Every structure is written in structure tokens, then in C-alpha cells.
Amino acid sequence: MSRTPEILWAQRSDKIYLTVSLPDAKDIVVKCEPEGLFKFSASGPQGEKYECTLELYGAVASEGCKTKTGWRNILCSIQKEQKGWWERLLKSAEKTAPFLKVDWNKWCDEDDEESESDNDDDTAADGGSSDDDGLLYLPDLEKARGK
């Protein structure tokens, strides 16, 4: 029998960020299917199996899905097929599973993203972030702190 890891999520108009909290994971397999099916499986440090399948709210660009593995978690950046804000993470309107939580460190509201896009040209000229940097940190949070 497999377990389900804790998953944190956040969104932008063009991407969904999923952070799977699973320290020292091995044999990690992540699949994103175009119709919005996200599949994750891995083994824990003592060989226990972890699996999760999420039916996402909308379609995704499977070639635009990237994964980075760290010591404590697995970071997934999933490209939405169509730019826009999803009402929720999952297609189902039922109560969200207890293992799914909002990642407030990466969360960005629509209004915040619009003001950030106004400054994108300045960020790129300064040698700032690319789209993949959202996996590690959020430049808009640094701007808000005045750095």
C-alpha cells in the first residue's frame, strides 16, 4: 500500500507550481499528461512507496513541465496550455484533500502579477530571473521587501 505525500501548490497565469514534500526521496517519477493529469511516485528513505495522481483543473503543455529534485522536496513547474487563472487546482469541486495545501511563499494574485509584468523588462536587463526561477524563489517577494 502506498502513502500520499504533502503537496504545496501555487499558480501564475501561465504556470502551476507543485512542491512535493518528501525528504530523501528515491526513484522519483513525475508525469504530466496534456489533459491535465499529474502523476507522481517515489520511494521514501526506508523504501516506503509514495504515489499521487491529481486531475488538474485545466489542460497543460506536457513539454512545458519541469522538475527539480532537492534534499527535502521535489519542485514541479507545470506550464498551462492556455494562459489564465484557474479557480482551483483540481477539476473536482469537492473539498480539497488534506495533503494539498496552498504554498503562500510562491503564491501570486492576479493583481500582483500584473504589476510584476510591468517591471519584467527591468528585471531581465539586470540579469534577473527567468521563468524557471519561480521554482527556487520569487523575485516579486524580494521587490516587496525593498531589496
Side-chain angles (χ1 to χ4, degrees), residues 7-26:
I7 300 175
L8 302 175
W9 77 281
Q11 76 169 313
R12 297 283 192 273
S13 62
D14 60 339
K15 291 185 181 190
I16 293 290
Y17 295 109
L18 298 179
T19 303
V20 181
S21 300
L22 190 58
D24 302 321
K26 303 172 193 160

Side-chain angles (χ1 to χ4, degrees), residues 67-119:
T67 304
K68 290 185 182 182
T69 304
W71 291 105
R72 299 235 167 249
N73 49 37
I74 298 94
L75 305 163
C76 304
S77 171
I78 302 170
Q79 185 75 38
K80 295 178 182 177
E81 187 175 279
Q82 294 182 350
K83 194 171 183 175
W85 290 87
W86 291 356
E87 295 177 26
R88 57 188 174 271
L89 176 64
L90 303 179
K91 189 171 278 190
S92 170
E94 295 176 11
K95 183 178 177 184
T96 306
F99 64 87
L100 281 174
K101 299 178 181 172
V102 173
D103 188 348
W104 295 113
N105 291 327
K106 290 186 176 142
W107 191 265
C108 181
D109 290 325
E110 291 180 66
D111 298 340
D112 296 337
E113 188 178 55
E114 288 172 9
S115 65
E116 179 183 310
S117 65
D118 294 341
N119 298 327

Side-chain angles (χ1 to χ4, degrees), residues 33-38 54-60:
E33 297 180 10
E35 62 275 3
L37 205 57
F38 173 81
L54 301 175
E55 191 174 357
L56 301 176
Y57 184 79
V60 299

